[in-house]
Amino acid sequence: MKELISSGLEALGLTGSVPPDAAEKLAEYGRLLLEKNQVMNLTAIRDEAGVARLHMLDCAALLPCTDFSQARTLLDVGTGAGFPGLPLKILLPQLDVTLLDSLNKRVDWLNEVSAQLELTGVRAIQGRAEERALDKSMRDSFDLVTARAVADLRLLAELCLPFVKVGGRFLAMKSVDSDQELDQAAHAIKLLGGRVRDVKDYAIPGTEVTHRLVIVEKVASTLKGYPRRWAKIQKAPL
Ligand code: SAM
């Protein structure tokens, strides 16, 4: 796994700008993921090459898509087994990373993995995004908020944008056939204080797969009253 990740980082032009032990730590994380996946449902990808490419390199490929250099804090909403938040922490150790998921078991495992990888400045917390975003200590607080495979962009914007500080960015990882999803989310993004700054399609090294990063800038505070309860978000999307 380490060799696949190393050559992928090189193909992305990241060698030299990420820590020298990044590929090793990502590979170790991948090994721990596959081991735990035998007893806990963490990922549908069950082979080392798949984990290296479709998890680790998919997340690493975000680095050339947007500027991470000024960001200090990152929240990963619906992190699951840690994607993309944990690979980003390994690649960009200066980031203070919070991993949020509604499932306690995944959160506990992520905290164990972070300790095993000797990472500091990262924590996994349990909670629902729409509830945590009402918490003053988390609202309008993060430089970057990421999400992959959590919800349709229209709903996801309501879960994620309230956490972003004005001037910060919400980074939504999507498939390349998300044009319609983007159009349908335009109203929600605007209402919640966001503005789409860029849409970047990127190739995952060593694969034929192209994915998309939607970069939304927070230009105004999110109005009080958002996010709404999950049932309402689903029943009456913005
Ligand atoms: N982001 C990871 C990835 O790309 O591999 C996990 C994706 S998994 C399909 C979706 C995760 O989002 C699950 O772990 C689920 O528990 C979490 N989730 C869904 N809705 C959520 C919410 N409202 N607040 C927090 N976590 C949520």
Side-chain angles (χ1 to χ4, degrees), residues 78-80 83 101-103 106 127-130 148-150 159:
T79 192
F83 302 106
D101 202 276
S102 51
L103 292 182
R106 291 182 178 170
R128 291 204 58 91
E130 65 276 19
R148 185 183 82 162
V150 178
L159 295 181

Side-chain angles (χ1 to χ4, degrees), residues 31-67:
R31 274 191 292 276
L32 293 168
L33 173 68
L34 285 173
E35 191 183 289
K36 192 69 178 181
N37 205 38
Q38 293 178 5
V39 291
M40 190 192 287
N41 181 21
L42 289 170
T43 176
I45 299 168
R46 295 178 187 281
D47 63 296
E48 292 199 352
V51 167
R53 292 175 171 134
L54 299 174
H55 283 321
M56 306 307 170
L57 294 175
D58 186 29
C59 300
L62 302 191
L63 268 64
C65 291
T66 189
D67 179 24

Side-chain angles (χ1 to χ4, degrees), residues 1-10 15 18-33 48 51-52 56-57 60 86-87 89-91 113 116-119:
M1 235 189 306
K2 188 182 158 194
E3 281 66 36
L4 276 180
I5 295 170
S6 273
S7 58
L9 294 178
E10 198 178 336
T15 319
V18 297
D21 63 353
E24 199 172 316
K25 284 211 166 163
L26 289 169
E28 178 61 14
Y29 170 28
R31 274 191 292 276
L32 293 168
L33 173 68
E48 292 199 352
V51 167
M56 306 307 170
L57 294 175
L86 206 47
K89 173 68 195 176
I90 292 168
L91 294 162
V113 169
Q116 276 171 291
L117 296 175
E118 297 180 347
L119 301 173

